[in-house]
Amino acid sequence: MSESERPLKISVIGCGYLGAVHAASMAELGHEVVGVENDVAKAEGLAQGRVPFFEPGFEELLRRSLASGRLSFTSDIKDAEGAAVHFLCVGTPQRRGEYAADLTYVEMATASLLDVLGPGELVVGKSTVPVGTAARLAELVAERVPDAVLAWNPEFLREGFAVQDTLHPDRLVYGIPDGPDGARAEQVLDTVYARIVADETPKVVTDYATAEMVKTAANSFLATKISFINAMAELCEATGADVKQLADAIGHDDRIGRKFLNAGLGFGGGCLPKDIRAFMARAGELGADQALTFLREVDNINMRRRIRMVELARQVCDGSLLGKRIAVLGAAFKPESDDIRDSPALNVAAQLQLQGATVLVTDPQAGENVRRHWAQLDCVDTPEEAARNADAVLLLTEWRQYKELDPAAFGKVVKTRRVLDGRNALDREAWEAAGWTYRALGRRNL
Ligand code: UGA
């Protein structure tokens, strides 16, 4: 084993989505890892191989890492003592009533880590933070433990592909200080990620501010791409053009690319919406708000799609939602996830219900979360239950199971064969051939 493949003792502070996946992945890479999680029940569950969220492939990885003896979980920060590397993986949600990010958890985690941090150890921030945070935390670290160093190392994992994205990322970004401390931080990070580095993964070594901004800039770009095509969908609706064909055609240009040009209900989840808002708030604090005013429009376009979807449902239901039965297929913010944070699907479902429709929601994985957090919505287990006697069916999260529904058989369950494809994901011809009236955002009505 070469020096760069040496196993390290690592702590991961905060074992939510990012932290739990990161901790198990670091153990998979051969390191000895302790995950520190304040929520005692969550820490105990993880230690027993129970995953508190749906993420394909993660349970197997967690169990394998636990069985190797290299991964443990605790609620006591003292167990992080002596680790060569400490990863900060806590959440940075949107502050209530504001656009800015709430840094409470980052600050609390750093404060508790400083109590156990030893000389020569490396603190690595992975949370998505407003630019400038790392420099501030580096000062705190330097004041308390002069020989310790802070690095900023954002992650780019997507829900649904979290394991793959952590073990085989498309790039590594290290934000480090100048001079010998920075060189040491880079060397230690290369040891942590030895296998990933050996795969010739592109690596960008930079300063703190750039590393922090890479993350928010990437998410802003993705959000902009989605809102761009959704703005085109609005125009298509006004002109009778077809947004799917438009996306296919412009996507053939390599410089544009077809990915993230799927028009529909728009983006949700725990990342893109809050990240673009926090980015705008930070730009305002820095006196550069004009640079990001376009993101306000990106956000507006995105939110308008939800309103338009409700409008479309009203139109197909002969102009009134009152007393109509509507089936909503999908509740998670995207397929292969049970995450319902800022889910466009639930937002639309709730609006339909408020406007007098009887709404039945279903989702292959998110049902439990819907019942827990959206008790006012009725949630059932199967699409057939949701669609029984329905006046309209809305596909709002493009799960494979829904794309594979047989429109002829499914048509026997509903009262009226009307389908609204909120994700432009269904085989339109097949549904129309089975006698369904098909409507979608940005599509020509045939
Ligand atoms: C996003 C980024 O893609 C990750 O790179 C990043 O690491 C992560 O946020 C994060 O900050 O932690 P994620 O929130 O898992 O990942 O979801 P995406 O796959 O980006 O999808 C976001 C939303 O956009 C979903 O609601 C999806 O339905 C929607 N979307 C995506 C579209 O409406 N159209 C598209 O063409 C693509």
Side-chain angles (χ1 to χ4, degrees):
M1 184 183 300
S2 72
E3 169 64 13
S4 67
E5 282 181 24
R6 184 168 47 97
L8 295 172
K9 192 172 173 213
I10 290 177
S11 87
V12 174
I13 299 162
C15 294
Y17 209 95
L18 162 64
V21 174
H22 191 66
S25 300
M26 293 304 101
E28 174 87 353
L29 292 180
H31 303 295
E32 190 190 324
V33 184
V34 58
V36 185
E37 169 55 52
N38 275 346
D39 180 334
V40 178
K42 200 187 269 181
E44 283 174 1
L46 285 166
Q48 287 161 15
R50 281 202 310 275
V51 178
F53 46 80
F54 174 74
E55 178 62 44
F58 179 53
E59 195 169 279
E60 294 83 334
L61 172 70
L62 176 67
R63 295 198 170 165
R64 200 163 57 235
S65 299
L66 289 167
S68 73
R70 290 193 298 270
L71 177 63
S72 60
F73 291 93
T74 176
S75 291
D76 189 350
I77 188 73
K78 287 206 185 73
D79 295 326
E81 217 166 85
V85 186
H86 304 272
F87 282 101
L88 290 174
C89 292
V90 291
T92 51
Q94 186 174 341
R95 262 191 239 160
R96 277 177 196 236
E98 284 180 53
Y99 271 3
D102 181 351
L103 291 180
T104 314
Y105 303 112
V106 172
E107 263 140 30
M108 277 170 22
T110 310
S112 66
L113 174 61
L114 288 177
D115 290 338
V116 300
L117 188 66
E121 293 171 5
L122 180 67
V123 180
V124 186
K126 287 198 88 66
S127 309
T128 303
V129 291
V131 55
T133 306
R136 192 162 52 78
L137 297 183
E139 276 175 30
L140 293 178
V141 169
E143 275 165 24
R144 281 283 285 278
V145 190
D147 287 332
V149 185
L150 178 108
W152 213 262
N153 169 224
E155 55 72 33
F156 306 100
L157 64 85
R158 296 158 299 167
E159 295 190 17
F161 300 91
V163 172
Q164 155 82 12
D165 287 353
T166 307
L167 291 173
H168 306 281
D170 48 19
R171 76 281 211 192
L172 289 167
V173 177
Y174 302 170
I176 53 173
D178 289 334
D181 277 352
R184 184 156 58 91
E186 181 179 352
Q187 203 178 32
V188 176
L189 282 170
D190 279 348
T191 308
V192 170
Y193 297 127
R195 270 200 235 162
I196 298 171
V197 173
D199 283 346
E200 296 185 8
T201 307
K203 183 173 101 178
V204 178
V205 180
T206 182
D207 52 82
Y208 291 144
T210 308
E212 292 167 312
M213 266 188 66
V214 169
K215 172 69 190 207
T216 33
N219 277 359
S220 298
F221 189 85
L222 295 171
T224 303
K225 208 167 172 192
I226 298 168
S227 276
F228 172 82
I229 200 65
N230 282 333
M232 295 304 111
E234 287 187 5
L235 269 174
C236 286
E237 284 156 21
T239 59
D242 188 284
V243 75
K244 205 165 176 181
Q245 289 181 324
L246 179 82
D248 289 342
I250 62 173
H252 283 302
D253 184 333
D254 273 352
R255 296 168 303 173
I256 297 174
R258 181 63 178 79
K259 288 184 186 155
F260 267 65
L261 277 187
N262 295 321
L265 253 194
F267 59 84
C271 301
L272 299 193
K274 69 126 175 130
D275 285 356
I276 62 168
R277 292 175 195 147
F279 204 19
M280 283 187 269
R282 185 65 185 135
E285 287 168 7
L286 293 166
D289 46 336
Q290 276 189 334
L292 297 187
T293 43
F294 76 95
L295 286 179
R296 193 173 293 264
E297 205 43 53
V298 165
D299 203 1
N300 288 341
I301 293 165
N302 193 50
M303 300 311 278
R304 276 208 298 274
R305 292 287 77 190
R306 304 178 185 188
I307 298 167
R308 173 73 187 135
M309 192 72 210
V310 175
E311 225 15 78
L312 204 56
R314 188 199 323 283
Q315 269 173 27
V316 303
C317 286
D318 308 320
S320 170
L321 289 164
L322 203 60
K324 299 287 164 44
R325 285 180 73 87
I326 307 240
V328 166
L329 308 188
F333 84 103
K334 68 174 199 182
E336 301 303 326
S337 168
D338 65 354
D339 194 341
I340 56 168
R341 285 176 293 171
D342 198 358
S343 164
L346 288 178
N347 195 299
V348 167
Q351 285 188 54
L352 292 167
Q353 182 163 284
L354 279 175
Q355 296 190 31
T358 301
V359 180
L360 285 177
V361 179
T362 187
D363 189 282
Q365 292 294 338
E368 208 181 305
N369 282 337
V370 176
R371 290 183 185 102
R372 196 175 317 140
H373 300 285
W374 287 73
Q376 74 275 28
L377 286 172
D378 287 320
C379 187
V380 294
D381 291 335
T382 65
E384 288 76 16
E385 283 172 82
R388 193 151 296 132
N389 265 329
D391 293 285
V393 173
L394 272 59
L395 176 93
L396 301 187
T397 312
E398 69 278 33
W399 284 93
R400 183 183 43 78
Q401 293 89 320
Y402 303 152
K403 293 198 276 186
E404 288 174 357
L405 280 170
D406 171 0
F410 196 55
K412 298 201 174 105
V413 177
V414 298
K415 185 160 114 200
T416 318
R417 294 188 179 194
R418 297 170 178 140
V419 64
L420 269 65
D421 184 357
R423 293 292 179 181
N424 278 315
L426 298 175
D427 178 348
R428 177 180 189 161
E429 281 176 17
W431 285 72
E432 285 180 337
W436 290 76
T437 302
Y438 176 97
R439 291 281 178 279
L441 298 170
R443 305 293 296 283
R444 217 180 10 246
N445 296 335
L446 299 178

